[in-house]
Amino acid sequence: SGWTYFGALELGGMWASGERAWYNLYKDLPTAGLYLNNFYFKARDMQPGKGYFVEGLGGALGYRDQYSGINVGRYNDWKVKLFYNEIPHTFTTNYRSLWDGVGSDYLTLKTLTPGGTLVQNPNGTPNQAASTDATRTNLLNAINAGEGGRDLELVRRKGGISLDKYLSNTWRFYGNYTQEKREGARPFGAVFGGGGGGGNIEIPESIDYDTHNILGALRYDDGLNNLNLQAQVSLFRNNIDTMTFENPIYALTNTVLTSPTGTAATAVTPGSMFTTGRYDLYPDNDYYNLRAEYGRSLPEWFRSRLTATISLSKMKQDDDLIAPTTNDMSGMFINGVSAYNNWNTTSALSKQSADAEIDTQLFDIGLTSRPLDKLDVNGKIRYYATDNKTDYQACNPLTGQWGRLINDGSGGAFVIPNATAGNNPLGTLPTAYDTTGCNLDAARALGLVPSAGNTNLTNIPYQYSKTNYELGGIYRLARGQSINGRIEREEYHRDYRERDETWENMVKVGYVNQAMDIGTLRASVEYGRRRGDSYDTDPYKQFYSISLGPEPTANLTNIASWIHNIGSFRKFDLADRDRLALDVRLDLITLHDLDLGISGQYRDMDYPDSDFGRNDHQKLGSATLDLNWQPSPKLGLYGYYTYQQSTMNQAGIQPNGCIIGNYYYFYSDGFVGTGTVPAAPARAGATVVNTVVVASNNWESQCGDNSATSPLWPDGRIWKTDTRDTNHAFGLGGRYDFGFARLELDYTYVKGISSIDYDYNSAALTAVPTAITAATWQLAGNGMPDMDYNQQALNFNLVVPLSKSVALRA
Amino acid sequence: CVPTDTVKNHASAGVETQIDLTNQDSTYIGEKACLECHKNAGDHASMGVHVSAFRSNPQNARQREVCESCHGPGSKHAQETTNRSLIIGYTKGWGTPVPKQNAVCLTCHQGGQRINWARSPHDVNEVACSDCHNPMMQNSATGNLLRVSINETCYTCHPQQRAEFLKRSHMPLPEGKMSCNDCHNPHGSPTRPLLKTDTVNETCYECHAEKRGPFLWEHAPVRENCVNCHQAHGSNHDKLLVAPRPMLCQQCHDAGVGHPGNFYNNSQTAESALQVGGVQSQRVIGRACQNCHTQIHGSNHPSGARFQR
């Protein structure tokens, strides 16, 4: 027959020891045993008119990083490809779990009591402190007694089949189906309690995903016209949509109280009530995409080429929503309303399924022409937009309460009419909003000042559009030399962000020289200037309780939640930005057998209008030297070294407070005190340099932005950080063929140093200087400890041919 | 000025297309004549897809010419072998201008993934197809590459990315579990930087489909662009983050109430908690902000507005 066959197989033994978590990050290293490193085979029938082939390859069979594939087909006619690939992701090999059922939808505590350890006072009431201490002790004992040495990992297993078929001289079909199964668990966390959280616990997140991808495409090419038509479907399925875990900690609560008239200070909830927590993990989702790409060569019209792309997508999911808690909330009250059986059912939700959808569209058209032999010009317009159709109200139809029960019922974020006297008419009940039956317009029509400004009422359907206009060209200076340039404008329109519009004007110039006998030079410089319309620090008002009623005016009202962010804070993705990018690459052929590559990159992003947030200059520099030397067929050597350094700055202010009617005393050491009388209390070592009173008619100007005398954001509480990364990557290796054996050597050395330095005024952040606070600031120092990362890898192989077809690798 | 003649060739679809080969009007002499001088090249090339296909199942008349299908008619070259203008070469030393080299390749490969080659960064920078591909050798398992793998091929011009993949937190390229072309189409794309999909996010969703959602509660910078928070290739920080937490989150969050604007420092680490004055903060240790705000990519829980469930 006309078939020819060839292949290779690398089989051996392996032994490994020691802590292998880092090495096993994406690999599966057997501790001992036979190991099929890799194999491949090919068979071809090359007779004229045949052209059939079978190819296969694989490796690590039986292990969690195994891979294999086979291609069968006929050249220039059809090809079927099957593949299978596994990728492990090991987080640790020394995991101690408090739960059974890791990887499932229910985590059962092995030994600990769900809800923590309740210690009661003699009168039978919960002893909060003693319960917390006892729970912590039991937790420590359980961790120490637990079995270590377990892997916490997940594994991706992906397989697929594809078909590539020439339908005619002009049409070609391509289709594939892939399925990925991802299983295991990863580090995760849970929090209980209200507000910022009263208790955290490290838990494993169970992972059991299936993702199906189906793609079909038709391609057309008649030499002048090119057309790609493609349809794609991706279906993500989470087999653990909801994960419940038994809670080992003693949870303290707020907002959710044990008496209808109680306060957070007096109400102590039996922690043992919150025995479980429940996550609504990533929902199943569907993705559909239709894409058409067209290219048309116009050789008679300035040697032009037109390209156009249309792509329409839909992302949607309609997962059933879950109840806010699994607990019946017996004996609990939220703002005077019984929570009993009002929150452990999906009837507590404004809708039963998510019905979330985002549609996207892309239109791109470009033209490139060569009006002169030396000149190419091109232009392009690209438009991309998202349309978010998701809506959700955070209101319980059973009670009419706006807001949400958080952390499985151990806390709440609700809005009621403001209770500070003077903000609302006398006699306004805490349940006034509730009576509107989750009708947001009706609730707003009441005209009542809400209790806080930052309670979520509805979701925010973020969406945006982006348009790029581009004009560029290439001018050939001489044989092998050219300059290229591009000017571009990028316009963003965003809904519900701090800026409705941003735009960036860019210019890029590049130079290519391939005419030099000694090598090739490529260099480019790009500058971009991004600006935008006025920056609104709180564009989200309609989605928060701030929109429920007028602003408060009464003394003693804490107004801080009405102020979303520092006035001069700039989110970096929207901020004014000046951007510089330099790239240079020089490939030298210094000798006939020696190649030398020198390359460098420099990036500088300046945020000229950002006092807070990411600010100043963000820089990245990178330089690389590459060497390849092949003096003979027997000897080949390579080496490279890359140095990178990046810096990033940011600033923030630790908020203080803003209460109408309160006096704020600004001391010489930066500290800000507060009180209800004009006279400031004495402070050791400092004097009062200013006093400000917040009034109903000035709180926005007093507290809305930072200043030396801002009650909420005083300059004395500014902190600044400087993050710096330095990296070295060095590689060296080669091979030498002795004839009787081949020596192969590869060595890699990587060093990364990350540092975080900071500036702050410790006196401004210290209410009462004590020996303890002094020790705290001594520990704080000027920065976090450096994070050093070092990795060395040496790969040494000796390949000894035993016969024409067998070699030994050691 | 170099006079330009044209040679009529059979395009991939059998349509005659004018290709500016070089200053010649050669005729085809056949593979056998080429191999008289280039036997080694023929031996190597016979392992590759091009020559295999041309020999065993040519799609059109041009492919039947095998060597001359890509190098152009060789009659004059055979007569004057040192004249570099008489045959198309794909090495730097031979001197055929890159646009001319690429035009030959695009005669058959202009459609499909190359439909957007014109105006792409590699085109603008006059990168030759032969800078990455070598159909005359079987160096790589797929793609007729110049190097043993896609990644190694890309690193020849993009060493910065090689260094990033070697960082502490990285995409699994060094382990051989990903290739640059899983995300990028080096032959051109309407989406920067040569991405295979419409956006950065849609590219990420190809492997991280769970984060596609959409969700009841969205996180604006997450929905818009994954690289707002993550490096695409590698980082010294956990999860390929662009900055360490909690500082990363504080680059956008400094609310008037609560903890987002607080000054977090070294007195709040687990190690400092063992010393006088140190108090461990859950906002500094472990995953910092994500110890509580675990569902930071979006939440479908009715209580998940702050991504805690």
Side-chain angles (χ1 to χ4, degrees):
Chain A
S1 76
W3 285 87
T4 56
Y5 309 88
F6 50 96
L9 177 72
E10 209 169 270
L11 182 69
M14 188 175 281
W15 173 81
S17 66
E19 170 57 48
R20 295 171 292 111
W22 198 247
Y23 191 82
N24 278 24
L25 180 63
Y26 298 123
K27 292 179 75 71
D28 187 15
L29 186 65
T31 51
L34 273 176
Y35 192 74
L36 176 60
N37 194 38
N38 63 65
F39 69 89
Y40 78 88
F41 65 88
K42 286 187 176 184
R44 305 190 301 176
D45 183 352
M46 295 305 299
Q47 297 178 86
K50 297 291 181 63
Y52 296 102
F53 64 89
V54 179
E55 302 169 347
L57 57 81
L61 296 188
Y63 293 95
R64 290 169 299 179
D65 58 351
Q66 63 181 313
Y67 64 97
S68 56
I70 185 166
N71 298 336
V72 181
R74 185 183 184 213
Y75 293 118
N76 266 342
D77 189 359
W78 61 273
K79 182 166 77 173
V80 173
K81 179 179 178 182
L82 292 99
F83 79 93
Y84 180 75
N85 188 16
E86 294 190 9
I87 310 176
H89 191 151
T90 304
F91 301 99
T92 176
T93 53
N94 195 24
Y95 184 61
R96 293 168 186 256
S97 175
L98 297 174
W99 293 270
D100 288 323
V102 175
S104 75
D105 63 355
Y106 198 96
L107 307 182
T108 307
L109 282 170
K110 289 178 178 175
T111 58
L112 292 167
T113 306
T117 306
L118 178 63
V119 179
Q120 293 177 313
N121 293 314
N123 63 2
T125 58
N127 185 319
Q128 187 173 305
S131 297
T132 302
D133 287 346
T135 299
R136 183 181 295 124
T137 300
N138 290 339
L139 268 167
L140 281 170
N141 291 337
I143 291 168
N144 290 330
E147 292 180 15
R150 179 186 168 144
D151 289 354
L152 184 66
E153 64 168 10
L154 55 86
V155 181
R156 294 175 180 230
R157 299 180 175 88
K158 188 171 184 177
I161 183 170
S162 67
L163 168 65
D164 194 343
K165 168 68 180 168
Y166 289 84
L167 302 175
S168 69
N169 276 345
T170 50
W171 287 97
R172 188 173 174 181
F173 171 80
Y174 177 78
N176 73 34
Y177 168 76
T178 64
Q179 182 185 357
E180 184 192 271
K181 178 81 174 172
R182 202 183 318 175
E183 277 184 300
R186 68 175 186 127
F188 205 52
V191 60
F192 283 89
N200 295 83
I201 185 73
E202 185 79 7
I203 66 172
E205 179 189 2
S206 298
I207 306 287
D208 186 356
Y209 301 159
D210 286 311
T211 306
H212 307 265
N213 282 298
I214 306 161
L215 184 147
L218 279 172
R219 293 173 180 171
Y220 176 83
D221 177 10
D222 67 6
L224 290 177
N225 296 281
N226 310 113
L227 178 67
N228 296 338
L229 298 172
Q230 178 177 299
Q232 184 183 2
V233 177
S234 175
L235 307 172
F236 168 77
R237 298 293 177 261
N238 189 349
N239 300 313
I240 306 178
D241 187 31
T242 301
M243 186 184 78
T244 306
F245 64 97
E246 292 184 346
N247 167 34
I249 63 174
Y250 182 85
L252 307 179
T253 69
N254 69 14
T255 306
V256 180
L257 308 172
T258 52
S259 91
T261 57
T263 66
T266 59
V268 177
T269 308
S272 55
M273 176 173 182
F274 301 102
T275 54
T276 58
R278 192 167 60 156
Y279 270 95
D280 192 3
L281 298 179
Y282 289 113
D284 297 353
N285 69 61
D286 299 347
Y287 170 78
Y288 308 95
N289 174 254
L290 291 173
R291 186 181 184 89
E293 293 177 301
Y294 176 69
R296 165 80 187 184
S297 297
L298 303 161
E300 307 300 330
W301 197 75
F302 302 113
R303 288 167 285 186
S304 301
R305 181 166 171 81
L306 173 76
T307 54
T309 300
I310 298 175
S311 177
L312 306 173
S313 300
K314 182 184 292 291
M315 295 177 272
K316 65 176 300 186
Q317 59 100 355
D318 195 20
D319 240 32
D320 291 339
L321 301 181
I322 66 172
T325 181
T326 54
N327 298 308
D328 63 12
M329 304 294 286
S330 173
M332 312 301 284
F333 296 84
I334 299 169
N335 297 315
V337 179
S338 171
Y340 177 64
N341 279 341
N342 275 333
W343 294 92
N344 57 350
T345 166
T346 53
S347 298
L349 309 179
S350 61
K351 61 198 298 189
Q352 297 302 299
S353 61
D355 193 20
E357 180 176 327
I358 296 178
D359 297 340
T360 71
Q361 48 186 294
L362 168 69
F363 302 100
D364 181 283
I365 186 165
L367 180 72
T368 179
S369 300
R370 183 175 295 176
L372 304 171
D373 282 343
K374 289 190 170 187
L375 178 67
D376 283 6
V377 293
N378 59 69
K380 165 177 163 163
I381 297 176
R382 185 184 194 275
Y383 173 78
Y384 177 82
T386 68
D387 179 11
N388 191 334
K389 297 177 176 175
T390 311
D391 67 276
Y392 181 74
Q393 283 192 338
C395 186
N396 184 341
L398 298 177
T399 64
Q401 290 171 297
W402 284 96
R404 63 197 197 281
L405 194 72
I406 63 174
N407 302 338
D408 293 292
S410 57
F414 295 94
V415 61
I416 59 173
N418 199 293
T420 304
N423 280 324
N424 285 312
L426 280 173
T428 300
L429 295 173
T431 55
Y433 292 136
D434 308 354
T435 60
T436 60
C438 291
N439 183 326
L440 190 53
D441 290 336
R444 285 174 174 150
L446 295 174
L448 298 172
V449 177
S451 53
N454 62 349
T455 304
N456 299 76
L457 301 178
T458 70
N459 71 311
I460 307 177
Y462 299 108
Q463 56 189 16
Y464 72 95
S465 65
K466 184 171 87 161
T467 310
N468 293 71
Y469 308 92
E470 191 181 319
L471 185 64
I474 305 170
Y475 186 76
R476 292 172 185 82
L477 300 166
R479 186 178 178 85
Q481 291 185 61
S482 65
I483 55 170
N484 58 76
R486 186 184 80 230
I487 55 172
E488 182 179 354
R489 181 176 173 87
E490 179 175 276
E491 295 177 350
Y492 265 99
H493 175 88
R494 297 176 175 90
D495 288 339
Y496 321 121
R497 295 299 309 276
E498 284 76 1
R499 270 180 155 164
D500 292 334
E501 313 279 350
T502 59
W503 54 86
E504 182 170 8
N505 296 320
M506 294 167 266
V507 59
K508 182 174 183 177
V509 177
Y511 173 69
V512 179
N513 188 336
Q514 303 193 83
M516 299 181 294
D517 290 337
I518 59 166
T520 300
L521 172 68
R522 289 189 176 89
S524 70
V525 56
E526 182 174 7
Y527 176 76
R529 187 173 189 270
R530 184 174 71 190
R531 296 294 184 266
D533 62 355
S534 61
Y535 193 96
D536 177 4
T537 55
D538 189 4
Y540 314 110
K541 289 177 180 171
Q542 63 178 298
F543 307 104
Y544 283 87
S545 54
I546 192 172
S547 67
L548 275 180
E551 293 167 346
T553 55
N555 278 357
L556 301 180
T557 306
N558 187 341
I559 205 76
S561 67
W562 270 259
I563 305 168
H564 186 75
N565 213 336
I566 306 170
S568 45
F569 197 106
R570 294 291 178 270
K571 295 186 177 180
F572 63 85
D573 59 332
L574 305 167
D576 288 0
R577 185 185 67 188
D578 297 330
R579 179 171 61 85
L580 177 67
L582 302 173
D583 289 88
V584 62
R585 169 94 191 163
L586 178 62
D587 291 298
L588 292 173
I589 307 169
T590 52
L591 298 169
H592 73 282
D593 53 9
L594 178 65
D595 293 342
L596 176 66
I598 302 168
S599 68
Q601 292 84 32
Y602 178 73
R603 303 283 183 270
D604 181 357
M605 286 190 277
D606 180 24
Y607 298 90
D609 193 39
S610 300
D611 293 335
F612 299 97
R614 188 183 297 180
N615 64 3
D616 205 355
H617 287 262
Q618 179 190 355
K619 296 179 182 177
L620 168 69
S622 181
T624 299
L625 182 68
D626 270 296
L627 272 172
N628 272 292
W629 185 42
Q630 190 152 359
S632 74
K634 288 183 173 181
L635 177 64
L637 295 173
Y638 73 87
Y640 65 83
Y641 170 69
T642 298
Y643 175 79
Q644 284 189 325
Q645 188 173 78
S646 63
T647 58
M648 185 188 293
N649 300 314
Q650 70 181 94
I653 301 182
Q654 182 157 315
N656 184 42
C658 187
I659 296 174
I660 297 174
N662 268 21
Y663 291 84
Y664 291 86
Y665 319 115
F666 295 83
Y667 293 88
S668 55
D669 62 356
F671 183 76
V672 183
T674 187
T676 55
V677 295
R683 178 173 171 84
T687 58
V688 175
V689 294
N690 224 320
T691 299
V692 166
V693 61
V694 174
S696 60
N697 61 356
N698 73 0
W699 60 262
E700 282 186 286
S701 59
Q702 291 280 16
C703 300
D705 203 355
N706 72 297
S707 73
T709 57
S710 169
L712 188 56
W713 281 302
D715 287 348
R717 292 163 76 96
I718 289 175
W719 52 265
K720 298 178 180 177
T721 67
D722 174 6
T723 305
R724 180 180 297 264
D725 287 343
T726 305
N727 296 281
H728 307 267
F730 175 72
L732 186 67
R735 52 190 286 280
Y736 186 78
D737 195 341
F738 292 99
F740 63 92
R742 188 172 76 246
L743 182 68
E744 298 173 352
L745 183 73
D746 295 283
Y747 171 72
T748 307
Y749 172 67
V750 181
K751 183 175 181 62
I753 306 166
S754 295
S755 64
I756 305 169
D757 297 330
Y758 42 66
D759 290 321
Y760 58 97
N761 179 349
S762 61
L765 299 170
T766 304
V768 182
T770 64
I772 294 294
T773 54
T776 297
W777 294 119
Q778 189 171 358
L779 279 173
N782 296 316
M784 294 288 192
D786 286 355
M787 185 178 69
D788 287 356
Y789 173 67
N790 291 283
Q791 176 185 290
Q792 296 188 67
L794 177 64
N795 195 352
F796 177 83
N797 285 289
L798 189 64
V799 182
V800 181
L802 301 179
S803 70
K804 189 178 178 184
S805 56
V806 179
L808 174 69
R809 179 190 290 272
Chain B
C1 171
V2 178
T4 301
D5 293 338
T6 58
V7 174
K8 291 179 179 176
N9 292 272
H10 297 276
S12 58
V15 176
E16 287 186 345
T17 305
Q18 290 184 327
I19 305 167
D20 174 15
L21 291 178
T22 44
N23 175 26
Q24 58 148 318
D25 54 0
S26 288
T27 55
Y28 293 111
I29 57 174
E31 179 189 6
K32 195 174 175 182
C34 302
L35 294 181
E36 286 179 14
C37 295
H38 302 285
K39 184 175 182 309
N40 277 347
D43 289 344
H44 287 136
S46 64
M47 302 298 288
V49 172
H50 281 75
V51 169
S52 300
F54 295 173
R55 284 176 178 165
S56 63
N57 189 25
Q59 202 175 19
N60 51 49
R62 185 179 161 199
Q63 291 187 359
R64 288 193 186 91
E65 306 298 343
V66 192
C67 310
E68 292 162 289
S69 175
C70 299
H71 291 278
S75 63
K76 288 208 165 184
H77 167 68
Q79 294 165 7
E80 196 179 345
T81 57
T82 56
N83 185 339
R84 297 181 176 185
S85 69
L86 297 178
I87 198 87
I88 297 174
Y90 295 89
T91 60
K92 178 179 172 60
W94 192 257
T96 303
V98 168
K100 290 185 179 179
Q101 294 179 36
N102 292 354
V104 177
C105 301
L106 289 170
T107 311
C108 293
H109 296 289
Q110 188 156 255
Q113 294 186 6
R114 274 78 47 186
I115 199 167
N116 289 298
W117 169 260
R119 212 186 53 238
S120 71
H122 286 150
D123 178 34
V124 169
N125 282 290
E126 301 202 352
V127 175
C129 303
S130 58
D131 285 340
C132 302
H133 299 281
N134 184 358
M136 303 295 286
M137 298 284 282
Q138 182 72 13
N139 290 328
S140 59
T142 58
N144 294 312
L145 297 171
L146 204 60
R147 300 291 178 104
V148 295
S149 67
I150 292 168
N151 301 346
E152 289 294 328
T153 304
C154 299
Y155 294 160
T156 56
C157 288
H158 301 283
Q160 178 189 358
Q161 278 68 30
R162 175 180 56 200
E164 288 173 359
F165 286 122
L166 290 171
K167 288 179 179 176
R168 171 182 169 239
S169 175
H170 59 265
M171 289 287 172
L173 273 81
E175 291 81 4
K177 290 300 180 185
M178 269 186 85
S179 296
C180 304
N181 77 331
D182 284 338
C183 300
H184 301 281
N185 178 358
H187 304 107
S189 164
T191 310
R192 280 199 196 115
L194 289 175
L195 294 179
K196 294 172 79 172
T197 67
D198 295 352
T199 63
V200 169
N201 282 29
E202 288 200 16
T203 305
C204 301
Y205 299 152
E206 299 256 294
C207 289
H208 302 281
E210 75 278 9
K211 294 178 175 66
R212 186 164 53 206
F215 306 102
L216 282 190
W217 307 102
E218 293 274 347
H219 191 179
V222 172
R223 174 54 65 190
E224 188 172 310
N225 198 336
C226 302
V227 299
N228 276 329
C229 299
H230 297 280
Q231 299 279 11
H233 303 125
S235 163
N236 284 351
H237 307 293
D238 200 22
K239 306 291 183 191
L240 288 89
L241 292 173
V242 300
R245 293 170 291 189
M247 288 77 182
L248 173 65
C249 305
Q250 292 181 306
Q251 291 186 351
C252 286
H253 297 283
D254 195 341
V257 290
H259 53 274
N262 286 359
F263 170 57
Y264 296 109
N265 57 71
N266 190 42
S267 72
Q268 297 161 315
T269 64
E271 184 179 3
S272 292
L274 302 174
Q275 301 178 52
V276 174
V279 178
Q280 178 178 288
S281 168
Q282 74 267 39
R283 292 154 188 154
V284 172
I285 65 169
R287 290 175 299 280
C289 308
Q290 275 66 67
N291 286 326
C292 299
H293 305 282
T294 49
Q295 303 289 65
I296 202 63
H297 297 104
S299 172
N300 221 44
H301 194 290
S303 305
R306 301 289 165 92
F307 314 119
Q308 290 166 309
R309 282 291 187 272

